């Protein structure tokens, strides 16, 4: 299968690889949301961590991915796109935009779906940690919890 | 000195046609172009002579007689002819009825065996699908346990195409002969690489192919035993009665000449070639296993063809691994490399966990593989595995001491 140049670029130089700490450390931090989607037996697992500031803006994002080149590129691209957005704005990212940006073929659309899912799961985790409150007061509870 | 790129390590898929084979074939496209079935002029005689020489060469490679070689278009056709042809010939009830007879095969056979067996199942035959142990082998004991009064055919590959593992064919053949059951073996990966004698190995029907043994594509053969016992087959292709009525159609003379020449080269060079490839594969496997953790060689480690290795690199997905070694042509058991999105059914049959099946590479060495290529491939694979593990969430979990099989994944 031929990959698009953008997929190859993300594969070779993935953006924002990493994490904000071990799984039990980040679990304690209310400024961080974690989304882990997929399953090893399906051949892809994406882990997305977002770090949200007091204004509800995703100031940093890190990913790890077990999966094909398209899965790696989708999650790498997702971190680029969500950084600097508010958590609610990040929810507007659609998998179809990822498909278009990376020129993914039909058999790889599930990679983009997984990337979108990882964003949703990470944001849901962040919101849950912050009392499951709505978007307007989430940053106050976040700062409250970290104190 | 670095090897020239790309490097071909997919010889179990197909091989480069040996230049000596190409040379042998060339006259049969131009000067000697007769139809080998033309009995009344020298063009036909010359073609027939060439076909008969090739028939002798193919027969010699497997210890058969020349009259026991049926030319086909390749191993898929040979398998179809052997399995469907024998089942329909030895059926215990006519078409349309059930209870037509029992067939034994295995779940990790090549699709060219599985699919004909499935068709026979739909036609009223009973098929037992044996499951290998975790070493991938099918043994005589497994066949013995599955044999029934109404068993008419056992079809078990000699060596597995994904793993290189070697089934107990001579012993299975002896058992089949004791019980009066026809044994077919798909020997596509075996023949030309390992010594073969259909008499002492107790085989009735044996499929092999030109393009796996440095011959051309589009030509294969089926060995059909003529004596003790004589095996009869119902033809699939009817027509001019070529190949003793078992496979009609004008013979592919140039292809057959090529396959014959390829067989002759294998007969002469197999021993030295096998030893050389075994050394190279050992070097490749050692360098990978010794330099990384959680690297697993799939299938029985001893009973394997010398040139194939199937290796899983834990926490790394196979297709992305292949993307990182783009200068090395090989295969992967990863779902992402197949249209079905299922990981290798062969590895699953061995009980290799799905995540390790997704993480596998099959590297198959061949006549022109060099040590420089092996060393280069090893280095590339190591670098790619390290690159991918650095971004693998599963590798993190492993390093934190968490067993990923204990996690409840949110499968999509």
């Amino acid at each position: 299968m031929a990959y698009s140049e953008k997929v190859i670029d993300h594969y070779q130089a993935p953006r924002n690889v990493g994490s904000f700490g071990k799984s039990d450390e980040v679990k304690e931090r209310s400024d961080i949301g974690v989304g882990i989607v997929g399953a090893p037996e399906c051949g892809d697992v994406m882990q997305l961590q977002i770090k949200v500031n007091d204004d509800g803006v995703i100031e940093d994002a890190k990913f790890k991915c077990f999966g094909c080149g398209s899965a790696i590129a989708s999650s790498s691209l997702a971190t680029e796109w969500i950084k600097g957005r508010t958590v609610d704005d990040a929810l507007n990212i659609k998998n179809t935009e990822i498909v278009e940006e990376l020129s993914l073929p039909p058999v790889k659309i599930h990679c983009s779906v997984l990337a979108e899912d990882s964003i949703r799961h990470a944001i849901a985790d962040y919101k849950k940690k912050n009392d499951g409150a709505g978007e307007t007061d989430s940053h106050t509870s976040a700062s409250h919890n970290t104190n | 000195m670095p090897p020239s790129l790309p490097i071909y390590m997919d010889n179990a898929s197909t091989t480069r046609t040996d230049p000596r084979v190409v040379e042998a074939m060339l006259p049969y496209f131009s000067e000697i172009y007769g139809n080998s079935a033309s009995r009344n002029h020298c063009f036909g005689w010359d073609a027939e002579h060439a076909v008969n020489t090739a028939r002798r060469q193919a027969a010699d490679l497997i210890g058969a007689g020349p009259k026991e070689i049926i030319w086909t278009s390749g191993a898929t056709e040979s398998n179809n002819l052997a399995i469907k042809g024998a089942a329909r010939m030895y059926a215990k009830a006519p078409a349309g009825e059930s209870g037509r007879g029992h067939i034994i095969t295995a779940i990790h056979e090549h699709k060219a065996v599985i699919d004909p067996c499935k068709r026979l199942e739909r036609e009223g035959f009973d098929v037992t699908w044996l499951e290998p142990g975790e070493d991938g082998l099918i043994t005589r004991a497994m066949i013995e346990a599955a044999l029934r009064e109404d068993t008419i055919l056992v079809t078990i590959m000699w060596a597995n195409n994904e793993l290189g593992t070697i089934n107990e064919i001579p012993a299975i053949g002896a058992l089949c002969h004791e019980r009066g059951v026809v044994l077919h073996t798909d020997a596509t990966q075996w023949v030309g690489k390992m010594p073969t004698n259909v008499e002492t190995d107790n085989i009735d029907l044996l499929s092999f192919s030109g393009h796996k043994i440095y011959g051309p594509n589009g030509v294969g053969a089926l060995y059909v035993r003529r004596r003790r016992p004589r095996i009869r087959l119902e033809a699939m292709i009817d027509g001019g009665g070529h190949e003793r009525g078992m496979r009609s159609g004008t013979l592919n003379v140039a292809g057959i000449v090529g396959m014959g020449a390829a067989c002759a080269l294998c007969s002469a060079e197999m021993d030295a070639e096998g030893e050389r490839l075994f050394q190279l594969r050992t070097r490749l496997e050692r360098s990978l296993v010794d330099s990384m953790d959680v690297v697993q060689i799939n299938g029985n480690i001893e009973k394997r063809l010398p040139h194939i290795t199937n290796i899983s690199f834990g926490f790394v997905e196979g297709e992305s691994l292949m993307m990182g070694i783009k200068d090395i042509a090989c295969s992967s058991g990863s779902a992402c490399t197949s249209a079905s999105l299922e990981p290798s059914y062969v590895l699953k049959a061995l009980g290799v966990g799905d995540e390790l099946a997704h993480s596998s590479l099959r590297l198959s060495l061949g006549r022109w593989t060099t040590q420089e290529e092996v060393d280069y491939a090893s280095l590339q694979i190591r670098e790619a595995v390290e690159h991918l593990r650095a971004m693998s969430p599963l590798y993190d979990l492993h390093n934190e001491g968490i067993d990923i099989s204990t996690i409840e994944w949110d499968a999509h």
Side-chain angles (χ1 to χ4, degrees):
Chain A
M1 187 180 311
Y3 298 96
S4 69
E5 276 180 25
K6 281 180 181 164
V7 169
I8 293 169
D9 182 45
H10 278 282
Y11 171 86
Q12 287 173 339
R15 331 292 197 252
N16 308 305
V17 174
S19 66
F20 298 117
K22 289 183 176 173
S23 44
D24 47 348
E25 292 166 9
V26 293
K27 206 176 279 177
E28 305 300 320
R29 291 181 55 180
S30 62
D31 61 330
I32 287 174
V34 180
I36 302 180
V37 294
E41 63 266 28
C42 301
D44 30 36
V45 174
M46 281 182 196
Q47 172 185 294
L48 178 67
Q49 297 187 349
I50 54 170
K51 192 171 167 198
V52 184
N53 69 14
D54 290 351
D55 301 322
V57 173
I58 299 169
E59 61 178 26
D60 203 358
K62 297 278 185 197
F63 87 94
K64 290 243 169 173
C65 178
F66 164 85
C68 65
S70 302
I72 291 167
S74 296
S75 38
S76 171
L77 179 67
T79 61
E80 280 192 317
W81 279 2
I82 60 176
K83 273 167 79 168
R85 295 205 196 195
T86 63
V87 287
D88 293 306
D89 189 24
L91 287 171
N92 291 324
I93 294 170
K94 294 278 171 291
N95 82 291
T96 48
E97 298 168 81
I98 296 172
V99 170
E100 198 174 325
E101 174 69 14
L102 296 174
S103 311
L104 298 180
V107 294
K108 296 297 183 187
I109 286 173
H110 73 278
C111 298
S112 69
V113 174
L114 212 56
E116 187 191 311
D117 283 353
S118 71
I119 297 172
R120 294 182 179 282
H121 278 69
I123 291 171
D125 180 59
Y126 165 77
K127 287 190 171 177
K128 197 172 116 196
K129 281 179 178 172
N130 293 281
D131 301 325
E135 55 272 25
T136 46
D137 55 352
S138 62
H139 66 277
T140 46
S141 45
S143 52
H144 172 73
N145 285 351
T146 44
N147 285 338
Chain B
M1 205 181 93
S4 67
L5 302 177
I7 293 171
Y8 191 70
M9 289 204 177
D10 205 13
N11 287 278
S13 292
T14 194
T15 56
R16 176 188 166 187
T17 309
D18 192 302
R20 294 168 291 182
V21 169
V22 175
E23 200 178 335
M25 291 171 71
L26 286 176
Y28 295 90
F29 292 107
S30 48
E31 296 127 56
I32 311 164
Y33 51 83
N35 184 328
S36 59
S38 296
R39 292 281 162 80
N40 42 7
H41 53 66
C42 59
F43 294 85
W45 300 333
D46 289 347
E48 189 188 16
H49 177 72
V51 167
N52 286 340
T53 301
R55 209 184 287 282
R56 163 63 67 189
Q57 290 166 322
D60 284 349
L61 181 61
I62 61 168
K67 286 181 178 169
E68 296 175 309
I69 299 295
I70 303 294
W71 297 117
T72 66
S73 62
T76 291
E77 187 191 334
S78 297
N79 287 337
N80 271 269
L81 175 58
I83 294 167
K84 293 192 275 197
R88 290 170 186 163
M89 179 60 75
Y90 296 99
K92 292 181 178 297
E97 291 182 20
S98 59
R100 301 186 68 198
H102 176 231
I103 296 164
I104 299 171
T105 187
I107 57 170
H108 62 323
E109 287 285 317
H110 192 275
K111 292 284 184 192
V113 166
I114 288 176
D115 287 350
C117 287
K118 282 186 178 165
R119 182 175 296 278
L120 291 169
E121 243 175 357
R122 293 195 294 272
E123 290 180 11
F125 293 90
D126 276 346
V127 179
T128 293
W129 300 91
L130 294 176
E131 293 180 17
E134 61 182 26
D135 64 356
L137 301 191
I138 295 296
T139 63
R140 175 186 160 120
M142 292 178 190
I143 301 291
E144 194 154 25
L147 277 172
R148 304 193 324 210
E149 276 297 304
D150 61 340
T151 305
I152 54 175
L153 174 69
V154 171
T155 173
I156 294 292
M157 62 183 9
W158 205 327
N160 185 276
N161 52 304
E162 284 193 30
L163 306 165
T165 49
I166 298 167
N167 294 322
E168 291 182 357
I169 283 304
I172 291 169
L175 173 67
C176 288
H177 281 179
E178 284 165 26
R179 303 289 183 91
V181 173
V182 176
L183 172 67
H184 166 249
T185 187
D186 173 3
T188 310
Q189 297 291 346
W190 170 275
V191 163
K193 317 293 163 69
M194 300 293 276
T196 308
N197 185 309
V198 288
E199 287 306 324
T200 52
D201 296 329
N202 312 307
I203 291 154
D204 297 322
L205 296 161
L206 176 143
S207 304
F208 59 121
S209 173
H211 74 104
K212 306 282 194 196
I213 58 170
Y214 313 99
N217 268 292
V219 58
L222 177 66
Y223 158 77
V224 183
R225 175 175 287 278
R226 264 167 72 86
R227 289 185 304 129
R228 289 176 290 114
R230 182 188 185 88
I231 303 298
R232 291 150 63 228
L233 298 176
E234 186 182 296
M236 290 195 305
I237 300 176
D238 298 317
H242 307 74
E243 299 299 280
R244 299 193 293 121
M246 285 191 248
R247 204 277 191 178
S248 288
T250 299
L251 294 182
N252 165 15
V253 177
I256 288 166
V257 166
M259 180 158 170
C263 287
L265 290 172
C266 287
S267 293
E269 299 175 5
M270 167 191 326
D271 292 349
E273 191 163 281
E275 179 57 29
R276 192 183 77 87
L277 294 180
F278 177 76
Q279 300 296 343
L280 286 179
R281 185 190 62 183
T282 304
R283 184 182 176 94
L284 176 62
E285 287 182 342
R286 276 213 189 118
S287 68
L288 293 171
V289 171
D290 291 350
S291 62
M292 289 180 279
D293 60 343
V294 200
V295 175
Q296 169 184 315
I297 295 168
N298 297 309
N300 189 297
I301 206 84
E302 300 293 331
K303 293 173 181 167
R304 272 192 304 162
L305 293 177
H307 63 292
I308 298 177
T309 183
N310 188 308
I311 315 183
S312 290
F313 302 90
F315 324 114
V316 167
E317 194 278 328
E319 185 186 335
S320 62
L321 180 53
M322 287 176 77
M323 211 173 152
I325 52 167
K326 61 184 190 323
D327 293 324
I328 300 154
C330 61
S331 298
S332 169
S334 158
C336 290
T337 61
S338 73
S340 65
L341 295 181
E342 281 290 315
S344 159
Y345 68 95
V346 172
L347 292 174
K348 285 181 86 168
L350 272 61
V352 173
D354 276 344
E355 73 279 6
L356 278 175
H358 281 291
S359 305
S360 73
L361 288 184
R362 179 190 70 179
L363 300 153
S364 43
L365 314 182
R367 190 165 282 170
W368 294 281
T369 305
T370 65
Q371 184 170 306
E372 288 70 32
E373 289 180 333
V374 163
D375 292 346
Y376 182 86
S378 173
L379 189 66
Q380 292 290 304
I381 293 167
R382 265 180 283 167
E383 283 179 4
V385 169
E386 278 159 23
H387 174 66
L388 291 165
R389 283 185 174 172
M391 62 174 113
S392 170
L394 305 181
Y395 195 52
D396 281 350
L397 292 171
H398 168 73
N399 287 332
E400 288 177 30
I402 298 165
D403 179 358
I404 60 170
S405 65
T406 62
I407 296 175
E408 269 189 45
W409 296 97
D410 177 24
H412 57 103

